[in-house]
């Protein structure tokens, strides 16, 4: 009994409802568009962040000051330069280095900007390059003999002042003259966190001119073939013993990934809740339309029953019709949702955060299936009412 | 077929409970419809003609008593089985045509065939043939709103005949028509009986139309008060 004809009849019926059905579609369209756009954005970001974190290397461990629970407003300075040496001595550690950080005023041709000075050990710069923090496009790497040398991110050099800062030009940091020896490509990942206002100098500069003796973060590279979890545990143990208390925490790329997943998962849940509500509203809209339509077509239902339509046929007819309303709303919703996701990713790319938000085939199929189901569930009560109608009463209906 | 009597009603009562009062639309009716018969039902308004027709065509279950279709009691059949009986053996013609307005004449005629699961191309050709049989070969793609009353009723007749039913049931089929188109419709119904051998059950208010039948049943207050054979001489004098 269910064949192509069922759909075309249902389609004619929907077309006949005109404006009312268009309004009926709205709830489903909004719900599905919300689901499609937000899930594809979240998924796109997930893929992007995973990729970025993986480029940091799956063999690196980050040692951070503080407890690791919650965000401490004042960054504790519990790590020392000496800790780096200690870590280098731990079994399974290939190399380690640290960041010394402070803020400074950068002066270029009479204009000022506040920057974050990041000091690093010049002979360990290769670690930063490996992890994608730095990618020199002009100039050279830092060496041990560098002192009044500075490295800038491309975006910062181009956009901060009226004139672009070029390689080999001089800038002043808190009144001292520095020479630009390197320009690095802006890392999308860093720029998303405001990282391009970071300025690279040697650790000696931060220590000697700014008095920041202790690193804010230590990065550890693990030996090839070593178990990163085991090395992480060893570092934890050794440093805790050395400090006498656990005033630091360690993280692997994997830990970061898990953290990002948790946050994105939470966002996804909120999104689903919102979309769920709009779909319920949409479903009620479909139900309302179908109830009205069943009432208006009472006589017609009576006629169909008289000329041989069974209860099941009528039930099916109305279920297909409401399912089709859901599906059509779903198709429009998917298209709008995909467009929304794509424009979001276009804007994000423009802001230096290029993730791909095109909805996956599974997501599209899921969205369409879901809209069909919502339509059919909403049509269940109206269809039952139509199917159970007494033919004689229905035929007498004016 | 082994059954000479296609529809048989035994002591049928149909009561409508209106709260304070109970309306007995049918009050103990016994009735037999033989294969190939043409029977008219007459009676004053409210006497129960439509109700009787509905009960006999298994559209309505009686409050008490039993209706047999080819010997089978309908109290033993569920609603889907009754739908099947209607869909296969009974063709309905209504006073108000009851066509589906957004479908074309052909689609209306195809509808009962669709309910019987008949494939599209066969539905198509059958609908076209029957429509041209009732003189509407050039109106197949017209919507009911584009047809005259008489033409609409002919579409309805075509729809009733689509499944080639044994019985045609008509409730005041000319009640909404002028006398000329009414006459055309009556001629078609008469031919259904005389040429195609259909069993016809027709409710009418008009004595002249009742004379088309072989037998006239008269109802009053939900009871059959008279049953008479129509003699041929009298019949010939009509129209
Ligand atoms: N659904 C209903 N609820 C209550 N009473 C009803 C219902 N249907 C019919 N009746 C009553 O049953 C009686 C018979 O009705 P029916 O329609 O069979 O009469 P009829 O002979 O066909 O009349 P008419 O010639 O006016 O069509 C009437 O008194 C009517 O009011
Ligand atoms: Mg009547």
């Amino acid at each position: 009994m269910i064949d192509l004809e069922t759909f075309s009849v249902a389609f004619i019926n929907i077309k006949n409802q005109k404006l009312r059905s268009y309004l009926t579609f709205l709830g489903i369209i909004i719900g599905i568009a919300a689901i499609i756009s937000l899930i594809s954005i979240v998924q796109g970001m997930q893929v992007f962040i995973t990729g970025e974190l993986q480029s940091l290397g799956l063999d690196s461990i980050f040692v951070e000051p503080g407890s690791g629970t919650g965000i401490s407003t004042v960054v504790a300075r519990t790590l020392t330069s000496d800790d780096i040496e200690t870590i280098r001595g731990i079994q399974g550690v290939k190399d380690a280095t640290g960041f010394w950080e402070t803020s400074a005023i950068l002066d270029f041709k009479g204009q000022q900007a506040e920057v974050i000075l990041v000091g690093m050990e010049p002979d360990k710069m290769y670690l930063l390059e490996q992890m994608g923090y730095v990618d020199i496009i002009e100039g050279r790497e830092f060496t041990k003999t560098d002192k009044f040398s500075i490295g800038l991110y491309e975006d910062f050099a181009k956009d901060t002042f009226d004139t672009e800062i070029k390689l080999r030009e001089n800038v002043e940091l808190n009144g001292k003259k520095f020479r630009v020896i390197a320009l690095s490509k802006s890392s999308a990942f860093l720029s998303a966190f405001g990282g391009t206002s970071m300025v690279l100098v040697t650790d000696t500069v931060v220590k000697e001119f700014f008095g920041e003796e202790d690193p804010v973060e230590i990065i550890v590279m693990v030996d090839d073939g070593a178990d990163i979890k085991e090395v992480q545990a060893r570092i934890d143990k050794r440093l805790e013993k050395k400090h006498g208390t656990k005033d630091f925490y360690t993280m692997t790329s994997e830990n970061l990934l898990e953290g990002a997943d948790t946050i994105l998962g939470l966002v996804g849940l909120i999104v689903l809740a919102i979309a769920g509500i709009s779909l319920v509203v949409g479903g009620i809209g479909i139900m309302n339309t179908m109830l009205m339509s069943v009432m208006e077509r009472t006589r017609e239902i009576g006629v169909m029953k008289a000329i041989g339509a069974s209860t099941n046929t009528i039930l099916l007819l109305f279920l297909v019709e409401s399912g089709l309303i859901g599906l059509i709303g779903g198709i429009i919703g998917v298209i709008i949702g995909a467009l929304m996701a794509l424009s979001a990713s276009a804007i994000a790319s423009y802001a230096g955060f290029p993730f791909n938000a095109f909805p996956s085939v599974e997501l599209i199929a899921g969205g369409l299936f879901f809209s069909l189901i919502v339509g059919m569930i909403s049509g269940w009560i109206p269809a039952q009412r139509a199917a159970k109608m007494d033919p004689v009463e229905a035929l007498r209906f004016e | 077929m082994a059954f000479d009597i296609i529809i048989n009603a035994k002591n049928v009562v149909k009561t409508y409970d209106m709260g304070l009062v109970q309306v007995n639309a049918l009050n103990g009716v016994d009735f037999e419809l033989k294969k190939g018969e043409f029977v008219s039902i007459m009676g004053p308004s409210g006497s129960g003609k439509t109700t009787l027709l509905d009960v006999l065509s298994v559209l309505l279950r009686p409050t008490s008593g039993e209706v047999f279709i080819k010997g089978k009691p309908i109290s033993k059949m569920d609603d889907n089985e009754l739908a099947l009986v209607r869909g296969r053996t009974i063709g309905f013609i209504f006073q108000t045509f009851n066509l589906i307005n957004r479908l074309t004449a052909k689609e209306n005629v195809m509808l009962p065939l669709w309910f019987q699961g008949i494939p599209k191309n066969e539905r198509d050709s059958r609908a076209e043939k029957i429509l041209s049989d009732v003189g509407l070969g050039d109106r197949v793609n017209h919507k009911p709103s584009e047809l005259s009353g008489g033409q609409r009723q002919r579409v309805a007749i075509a729809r009733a005949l689509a499944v080639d039913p044994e019985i045609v049931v008509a409730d005041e089929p000319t009640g909404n028509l002028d006398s000329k188109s009414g006459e055309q419709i009556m001629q078609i119904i008469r031919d259904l009986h005389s040429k195609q051998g259909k069993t016809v059950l027709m409710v009418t208010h008009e004595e002249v139309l009742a004379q088309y039948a072989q037998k006239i049943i008269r109802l009053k207050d939900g009871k059959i008060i008279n049953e008479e054979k129509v003699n041929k001489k009298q019949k010939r004098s009509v129209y």
Side-chain angles (χ1 to χ4, degrees):
Chain A
M1 173 56 220
I2 183 151
D3 52 15
L4 263 176
E5 203 89 6
T6 319
F7 291 98
S8 68
V9 170
F11 197 69
I12 293 172
N13 289 337
I14 292 168
K15 265 201 338 212
N16 220 57
Q17 293 176 22
K18 303 217 170 65
L19 184 66
R20 203 174 61 214
S21 326
Y22 296 144
L23 289 176
T24 309
F25 290 134
L26 212 60
I28 292 290
I29 292 175
I30 293 170
I32 295 291
I35 288 184
I36 296 290
S37 59
L38 294 167
I39 291 186
S40 23
I41 289 170
V42 166
Q43 279 181 344
M45 281 171 66
Q46 222 154 10
V47 170
F48 173 72
I49 290 174
T50 307
E52 288 294 318
L53 288 178
Q54 268 167 359
S55 77
L56 291 183
L58 290 173
D59 51 357
S60 26
I61 299 172
F62 305 84
V63 185
E64 317 274 345
S67 63
T69 55
I71 302 141
S72 43
T73 41
V74 184
V75 178
R77 290 290 159 89
T78 51
L79 297 173
T80 63
S81 297
D82 189 41
D83 288 339
I84 300 175
E85 280 310 319
T86 309
I87 290 170
R88 280 183 187 136
I90 290 173
Q91 188 201 339
V93 172
K94 191 197 237 170
D95 207 348
T97 186
F99 288 127
W100 287 259
E101 231 176 71
T102 188
S103 62
I105 304 292
L106 188 144
D107 189 309
F108 179 63
K109 295 187 178 166
Q111 283 182 300
Q112 279 95 28
E114 179 154 2
V115 294
I116 300 166
L117 277 196
V118 177
M120 36 149 210
E121 299 171 296
D123 54 332
K124 302 292 181 200
M125 196 172 177
Y126 76 97
L127 288 176
L128 304 187
E129 287 178 276
Q130 267 177 26
M131 295 171 79
Y133 283 129
V134 179
D135 183 0
I136 294 174
I137 43 175
E138 256 188 279
R140 59 168 177 84
E141 282 183 15
F142 282 68
T143 64
K144 281 218 148 166
T145 56
D146 277 312
K147 190 156 190 189
F148 293 99
S149 302
I150 188 172
L152 298 176
Y153 282 105
E154 189 186 13
D155 282 1
F156 179 87
K158 276 203 182 113
D159 303 333
T160 313
F161 300 108
D162 291 344
T163 44
E164 185 182 338
I165 308 176
K166 295 239 169 61
L167 194 69
R168 284 187 284 278
E169 283 190 301
N170 288 329
V171 299
E172 280 181 14
L173 278 179
N174 286 17
K176 290 196 174 62
K177 212 183 246 181
F178 282 76
R179 187 176 156 86
V180 179
I181 61 149
L183 286 174
S184 166
K185 202 167 147 193
S186 306
S187 143
F189 188 59
L190 289 178
S191 62
F193 298 102
T196 39
S197 69
M198 296 196 305
V199 164
L200 298 173
V201 288
T202 60
D203 56 335
T204 349
V205 170
V206 181
K207 285 181 198 161
E208 283 178 16
F209 301 149
F210 295 90
E212 291 288 352
E213 283 298 330
D214 298 324
V216 290
E217 184 182 29
I218 298 170
I219 301 170
V220 183
M221 296 290 269
V222 173
D223 271 335
D224 296 336
D227 186 335
I228 187 163
K229 295 254 172 213
E230 274 173 25
V231 178
Q232 186 183 15
R234 261 180 240 137
I235 294 172
D236 279 341
K237 213 171 141 198
R238 178 78 67 85
L239 277 193
E240 191 175 344
K241 205 169 159 197
K242 181 165 176 263
H243 292 195
T245 138
K246 186 142 195 309
D247 50 5
F248 66 95
Y249 64 98
T250 56
M251 265 191 321
T252 61
S253 305
E254 217 168 303
N255 295 147
L256 283 171
L257 215 61
E258 283 159 12
D261 274 353
T262 312
I263 292 168
L264 287 178
L266 206 67
V267 171
L269 263 172
I270 295 166
V271 163
L272 283 183
I274 296 167
I277 291 167
S278 52
L279 280 176
V280 167
V281 173
I284 292 170
I286 293 185
M287 183 154 94
N288 181 50
T289 294
M290 290 305 294
L291 281 174
M292 276 169 78
S293 153
V294 165
M295 210 186 70
E296 280 166 12
R297 277 142 73 187
T298 298
R299 216 183 154 81
E300 181 184 318
I301 294 164
V303 174
M304 292 202 287
K305 287 198 150 191
I307 64 174
S310 66
T311 310
N312 295 341
T313 303
I314 304 284
L315 186 73
L316 193 72
L317 218 54
F318 280 91
L319 276 186
V320 168
E321 190 173 322
S322 63
L324 208 58
I325 292 180
L327 189 63
I328 293 171
I331 291 171
I332 300 171
V334 164
I335 294 170
I336 293 177
L339 290 177
M340 276 165 43
L342 288 179
S343 26
S345 81
I347 291 168
S349 304
Y350 187 72
F353 198 35
F355 65 92
N356 173 21
F358 195 78
S360 65
V361 178
E362 290 88 349
L363 185 59
I364 291 174
L368 293 181
F369 182 71
F370 199 54
S371 61
L372 178 74
I373 294 300
V374 169
M376 289 179 82
I377 290 175
S378 315
W380 182 255
I381 292 172
Q384 280 283 340
R385 187 171 289 186
K388 292 216 174 101
M389 229 172 237
D390 176 62
V392 170
E393 301 261 318
L395 278 168
R396 280 179 191 254
F397 186 83
E398 293 300 326
Chain B
M1 269 293 173
F3 294 99
D4 241 12
I5 298 166
I6 321 184
I7 304 176
N8 190 357
K10 285 238 164 71
N11 196 22
V12 163
V13 174
K14 181 71 199 181
T15 310
Y16 287 105
D17 199 346
M18 302 300 286
L20 287 177
V21 283
Q22 295 205 325
V23 182
N24 282 331
L26 293 176
N27 215 340
V29 173
D30 291 299
F31 178 80
E32 283 179 355
L33 183 67
K34 296 202 185 72
K35 193 175 165 62
E37 251 186 339
F38 185 167
V39 177
S40 288
I41 301 172
M42 293 201 72
S45 186
S47 59
K49 304 181 296 292
T50 297
T51 308
L52 178 60
L53 202 71
D54 290 345
V55 168
L56 293 175
S57 54
V58 300
L59 211 50
L60 190 64
R61 290 182 189 272
T63 311
S64 71
E66 184 65 275
V67 175
F68 301 87
I69 298 290
K70 294 180 181 174
K72 217 179 154 196
I74 67 162
S75 62
K76 296 260 158 59
M77 302 191 217
D78 66 19
D79 288 352
N80 281 328
E81 285 176 272
L82 292 188
L84 206 64
V85 168
R86 289 194 298 270
R88 288 195 179 154
T89 53
I90 301 172
F92 285 84
I93 303 169
F94 305 92
Q95 179 179 351
T96 51
F97 325 134
N98 280 335
L99 298 173
I100 293 174
N101 289 325
R102 57 176 180 280
L103 301 180
T104 64
K106 190 165 91 176
E107 287 164 342
N108 266 287
V109 177
M110 284 162 73
L111 203 55
L113 296 169
W114 183 44
F115 294 145
Q116 296 312 314
I118 287 158
K120 169 108 166 85
N121 49 359
E122 194 182 332
R123 267 184 273 151
D124 229 273
S125 58
R126 262 212 242 176
E128 272 170 26
K129 165 148 198 321
I130 298 169
L131 277 170
S132 72
D133 284 352
V134 295
L136 290 175
D138 53 347
R139 294 284 192 280
V140 284
N141 291 321
H142 286 233
K143 295 264 175 75
S145 59
E146 298 155 0
L147 297 170
S148 74
Q151 287 170 330
R152 287 184 211 183
Q153 192 61 302
R154 277 188 273 161
V155 174
I157 291 175
R159 180 180 65 187
L161 295 176
V163 295
D164 194 20
E166 281 175 70
I167 310 162
V168 172
V169 161
D171 192 352
E172 301 190 45
T174 62
N176 275 24
L177 300 175
D178 60 81
S179 60
K180 190 159 175 296
S181 14
E183 195 180 310
Q184 286 175 342
I185 294 299
M186 276 318 296
Q187 246 140 41
I188 295 174
I189 291 176
R190 187 183 55 196
D191 287 350
L192 286 181
H193 173 248
S194 60
K195 292 190 179 146
Q196 296 187 38
K198 302 272 183 219
T199 309
V200 179
L201 192 57
M202 179 180 76
V203 167
T204 179
H205 263 118
E206 291 177 62
E207 197 68 44
V208 276
L209 300 183
Q211 300 293 332
Y212 276 85
Q214 297 164 307
K215 196 160 93 180
I216 301 174
I217 285 179
R218 294 184 197 275
L219 276 182
K220 194 167 182 259
D221 299 331
K223 277 198 161 105
I224 296 180
I225 51 162
N226 183 288
E227 199 180 316
E228 66 197 66
K229 286 233 154 68
V230 178
N231 69 60
K232 294 218 167 150
K233 219 174 176 182
Q234 200 180 342
K235 202 171 170 180
R236 229 176 272 127
S237 72
V238 181
Y239 290 124

